[in-house]
Amino acid sequence: AQNQIIDGKEFHDALLTEVVFPGLDATSNERAYLELKIKPGQTVLQSGGGGQINFPSPNQFPLWRRSNFRLEIDGLDEACAHVITVDPIVWKQPVNQAPTSFQQSTQPFDLSNLVITLPQHQAEPFAQWFHDFVIQGQASDSQEKNGRLEYLGHDHQTPIMVLEFFHLGIFRMSPVKSEANTAGVPKVKVEMYCENMQLTQTPGGGSSGTQSSPSSTQSQPPPPRPKSSIRPLRPPIKNFAPRLPLQKKQ
């Protein structure tokens, strides 16, 4: 019979090992999904018992679309208002395998880079930051920036989930190749490493870490953590040359 439970699997001592926050696109009408990977320590097969599963109808939940987002970065909010895409953001936690289970590893967890695209004519503030940070070598902690990414509800205003970024550092800007036979506004890809990230608002109204008000414009960093506990995916910035011509100031 449809939706009948044939068999099942019970698991224990599971660890969350990976979270993929959805890629975003201001021009897309597609649904957004949060991907989770969970590694169980133990699993036990069970008989299904012939019961029925009643799945909720998708119509019971408001649509969460990839186009519903708002990005803010210190000093770059005006340029961020024109961001077209945000690549998926991935958090990974290594685990150690014990004889009968998995244990949280002491190795650093991985954070993917923050990668965005926006029109080239709106990218001058990022180009200036790139010039100062990479070309001029002004890459101290004080030159890094904080930011936040709000995943918005169907009204395009209410945040249903918020990611806070701490110690963002720009390391690459490059032109986006246009698709064949497609004419459009020239776009630029901007890549930034991220040393720390917090989920500060969740769809259920709870928080992970310090709760932040959706209307707040100042991101408060979490308590300092040792650099060895974080592994941002950043290359040596000294190896990168600018790929976006800087406009000369008059």
Side-chain angles (χ1 to χ4, degrees), residues 107-235:
Q107 298 179 18
F109 58 78
D110 290 335
L111 290 178
S112 64
N113 297 319
L114 177 60
V115 181
I116 64 175
T117 63
L118 71 162
Q120 182 171 329
H121 67 278
Q122 299 289 350
E124 175 61 23
F126 283 98
Q128 187 60 54
W129 183 25
F130 180 87
H131 179 268
D132 296 340
F133 200 82
V134 180
I135 307 305
Q136 297 297 328
Q138 301 174 15
S140 64
D141 285 353
S142 62
Q143 300 299 320
E144 295 172 332
K145 298 180 181 292
N146 296 336
R148 61 189 279 129
L149 178 61
E150 297 179 346
Y151 298 86
L152 305 177
H154 62 281
D155 61 358
H156 295 266
Q157 294 295 327
T158 305
I160 59 176
M161 189 166 63
V162 177
L163 279 178
E164 301 275 359
F165 304 109
F166 303 97
H167 293 284
L168 290 167
I170 189 171
F171 65 86
R172 180 186 289 141
M173 293 186 69
S174 56
V176 176
K177 294 183 179 180
S178 300
E179 297 181 3
N181 302 322
T182 300
V185 177
K187 302 178 183 65
V188 174
K189 177 187 289 188
V190 180
E191 300 180 55
M192 296 159 275
Y193 64 79
C194 178
E195 290 190 355
N196 205 351
M197 180 180 73
Q198 272 193 318
L199 179 62
T200 58
Q201 183 170 321
T202 60
S207 65
S208 174
T210 303
Q211 181 73 31
S212 68
S213 169
S215 61
S216 174
T217 58
Q218 295 295 327
S219 300
Q220 298 298 322
R225 78 170 67 217
K227 294 281 186 178
S228 60
S229 67
I230 310 165
R231 186 163 54 198
L233 306 181
R234 58 173 173 176

Side-chain angles (χ1 to χ4, degrees), residues 66-132:
R66 294 175 59 200
S67 56
N68 299 4
F69 70 93
R70 179 165 51 234
L71 177 66
E72 299 174 353
I73 298 176
D74 293 347
L76 301 171
D77 289 350
E78 185 174 349
C80 286
H82 300 280
V83 167
I84 300 171
T85 67
V86 180
D87 282 11
I89 297 170
V90 183
W91 173 92
K92 291 184 179 181
Q93 171 63 60
V95 296
N96 295 328
Q97 186 169 4
T100 58
S101 65
F102 289 97
Q103 299 174 351
Q104 187 170 356
S105 173
T106 57
Q107 298 179 18
F109 58 78
D110 290 335
L111 290 178
S112 64
N113 297 319
L114 177 60
V115 181
I116 64 175
T117 63
L118 71 162
Q120 182 171 329
H121 67 278
Q122 299 289 350
E124 175 61 23
F126 283 98
Q128 187 60 54
W129 183 25
F130 180 87
H131 179 268
D132 296 340

